[in-house]
Amino acid sequence: MRIVLLGPPGSGKGTQAIRLAQQLGIPQLSTGDMLRAAVSTGTSVGRKAEAVMESGGLVPDELVVEVVAQCILQPDAENGFILDGFPRTVAQARSLEDLLLAKQLNLDCVLELRVDEDVLLGRILNRAREAKINRHAVRVDDTEEALKVRLQEYRRRTEPLTDYYRSKGILRSVDGLQPINIVAASLLEAIARELCVPKIQARA
Ligand code: ADP
């Protein structure tokens, strides 16, 4: 099963992607995590991505596509994957299609988490505050200033993807303002509907 999870920063994409990956037994591929790992280990991709990530901007398409191409061709992604944070532009969506097409594969569904913009800042600042209290690493882009840029980028470059995937008939939207468990159940229901099965038996 090949799934894309779409949603603005702070919509709960990461949380839900991890849960879905566990429940479905397929890997979660988060481009944000991969890029942060590249920055912290100082790879050439990381060095190129660092400043733009810190400001809240989007990393150039070709860099991210290169990172994703390596992952989706790995044996652990053979039975599918959940893409979290990719694609973020229509050009990335087209590159993804080309990568999959080359292996005669396609996307099964695109799940969109819908969350009002006015709750996102509170969620992000809360995450930064909690990370600090628990002495976890605080993301350098979890600031009011960077979030403004992240939201602008989302609206301008990522939101058009909803129309793109809606026109292909594979977009399913879920209310991301509900409690975490309800959002998780709604996502599973949406996948089951897409696959035309009555219910998905989540893994223990
Ligand atoms: P969030 O969705 O909360 O903003 P992510 O962890 O998904 O956070 O991404 C963090 C940052 O990593 C983004 O702001 C961007 O700079 C970079 N990034 C992640 N995925 C992509 C992508 N597909 N294209 C371009 N940049 C990306």
Side-chain angles (χ1 to χ4, degrees):
M1 204 176 314
R2 285 166 293 277
I3 297 170
V4 163
L5 204 51
L6 275 184
S11 59
K13 263 188 329 293
T15 307
Q16 296 297 338
I18 292 169
R19 290 177 72 127
L20 270 181
Q22 279 167 353
Q23 288 167 325
L24 302 173
I26 50 180
Q28 170 224 9
L29 305 178
S30 156
T31 42
D33 288 350
M34 292 176 213
L35 291 168
R36 276 185 288 279
V39 169
S40 71
T41 51
T43 64
S44 81
V45 168
R47 286 196 302 275
K48 289 179 198 149
E50 187 168 13
V52 71
M53 287 177 77
E54 186 164 346
S55 71
L58 291 188
V59 172
D61 289 339
E62 59 280 8
L63 270 191
V64 193
V65 169
E66 187 188 316
V67 169
V68 168
Q70 286 163 9
C71 297
I72 62 176
L73 303 176
Q74 294 297 313
D76 69 335
E78 225 161 54
N79 292 327
F81 47 74
I82 305 200
L83 277 171
D84 159 10
F86 183 92
R88 259 177 154 100
T89 64
V90 172
Q92 290 179 16
R94 296 211 167 105
S95 298
L96 175 62
E97 267 160 35
D98 291 344
L99 283 169
L100 292 175
L101 210 63
K103 296 189 79 190
Q104 294 176 320
L105 299 171
N106 57 0
L107 280 179
D108 292 296
C109 70
V110 176
L111 301 167
E112 179 204 14
L113 286 175
R114 298 194 71 94
V115 176
D116 296 339
E117 223 175 75
D118 49 356
V119 306
L120 298 174
L121 177 66
R123 282 189 180 187
I124 298 270
L125 295 181
N126 199 34
R127 175 166 76 188
R129 210 166 23 240
E130 280 180 8
K132 211 166 173 182
I133 292 169
N134 296 320
R135 295 174 193 273
H136 293 150
V138 178
R139 272 175 56 169
V140 288
D141 59 350
D142 273 355
T143 62
E144 207 161 336
E145 204 188 352
L147 182 69
K148 225 183 251 167
V149 179
R150 284 157 69 194
L151 283 173
Q152 270 167 13
E153 292 283 53
Y154 187 80
R155 259 182 257 125
R156 194 168 65 88
R157 302 183 65 192
T158 309
E159 220 160 47
L161 282 177
T162 53
D163 282 339
Y164 180 81
Y165 285 125
R166 192 175 292 114
S167 71
K168 291 183 181 290
I170 55 172
L171 183 80
R172 299 289 170 258
S173 298
V174 162
D175 174 7
L177 282 172
Q178 307 173 97
I180 289 177
N181 281 342
I182 310 283
V183 176
S186 308
L187 289 171
L188 275 183
E189 263 172 45
I191 298 169
R193 266 201 305 276
E194 193 57 38
L195 298 180
C196 300
V197 294
K199 197 172 186 264
I200 290 184
Q201 209 56 53
R203 291 190 168 196

